[in-house]
Amino acid sequence: MKAAMFYGKEDLRIEDVPEPEVGPGQVKIRNGYVGICGGDVHTYFHPEASPVDLFRPHPVTGAQLPQPLGHEFSGTVVEVGEGVTGIEVGDRGSIFPTAYSCGKCTACRHGRPTSCRLMAGLGANANGGGMAEFVAIDARQFHRLPEDVDLQRGALVEPMSVAWHGAGRSRSGPGDVVLVAGAGPVGIGAWYAFRARGVENILVSEPSGERRSKVAVLGARVIDPVTEDLDAAVADLTGGDGVDVFYDAAGAGAALRTGLANLAPGGRVVLQSGHEKPFEIEPNEIMMGEYELLGSLGYRPDEFDGVIGRMSAGEYDTTGWVEEMELDDVVEAIHKLRAGAGTKILLRVG
């Protein structure tokens, strides 16, 4: 089968590799679409900064480089392994990429399996990923799509679930004011998620004119933090009080510092985007403002299904911000996203 195999820093190769075999309790998927995540872009350019160790075999899955990238994907069942019930050949689904967590550590016991030190995910440190024609997964990772949700939107379930989980971490609700930094896919997903939580006043900060225009078409209020006065815009929106929630979907130190500077007392920061470099913050400001810094990673299976349900109900309009490219063009697509050209790229696999 064809697969985009990641070997290391800026080394991603389209290769012919053996198809996976389906084992007991597994299903084999013909992948349809796979999204390029901001995390994939970070990994391609800076694998040493990845939150998981890609260079040594995972102690449970045994996976190590080279591996196919891609953890945002959908596909169709082509084979069902022994002992699997309730899933049939021809079923279409979105794939929950977390392949392993120990179930015993503090993180797992508290319902945070993505924080498990042994967590393994497809497209990283578990065998297989979305940037390949086929993948074999545990049946529990298959989330069936209803007839009115196609495979293209099925590949967006994962990043929209990331944003939904992050919005939940913020404890936001009606009456709050939210500043979102970044109008990439997760930033757009956050805008949808906050609106679903009853938040009406949302300002999206994005330096890319292309991305600003695309989220604005959806109905978002946008600002260019480079050429416009973001502090003044927040003051005007909040009567000088500051925002209740700052949502970091940009992964840039400057954006995070600006968000902290515009928080209301008791405000919350949701750190949703990966950062390639460390940066300094002023801890006294956090102390004096009684701010909260909240990390957010991944999602729960029920959140995954919840996003699928909202897609079926007609939410998550993809008009204008999702484009398709071929798997062979993956490196071109990564560089395009790195340059800020484009918002969400889905690769056609199947």
Side-chain angles (χ1 to χ4, degrees), residues 1-3 5 7 15-20 68 132:
M1 68 175 183
K2 181 190 294 186
M5 302 295 289
Y7 280 79
E15 296 184 330
D16 186 48
V17 300
E19 289 186 21

Side-chain angles (χ1 to χ4, degrees), residues 183-221:
V186 172
I188 290 175
W191 180 76
Y192 274 114
F194 282 117
R195 289 175 68 227
R197 297 177 68 85
V199 179
E200 296 181 358
N201 288 321
I202 307 168
L203 180 62
V204 180
S205 172
E206 170 58 59
S208 165
E210 180 181 352
R211 289 188 171 186
R212 280 198 313 277
S213 65
K214 290 180 178 180
V215 72
V217 167
L218 300 176
R221 181 184 304 181

Side-chain angles (χ1 to χ4, degrees), residues 3 7 63 65 88 96 103 111 114 118 143 200 209 215 218 244 263 298 302 324 350:
Y7 280 79
L65 299 182
E88 300 179 353
F96 192 91
T114 52
L118 291 176
H143 288 244
E200 296 181 358
V215 72
L218 300 176
D244 301 288
L263 276 182
D302 63 291
E324 296 183 12

Side-chain angles (χ1 to χ4, degrees), residues 5-28:
M5 302 295 289
F6 182 61
Y7 280 79
K9 183 179 177 66
E10 297 184 52
D11 188 359
L12 183 60
R13 312 173 194 175
I14 302 295
E15 296 184 330
D16 186 48
V17 300
E19 289 186 21
E21 296 183 1
V22 64
Q26 291 188 319
V27 293
K28 184 176 179 178

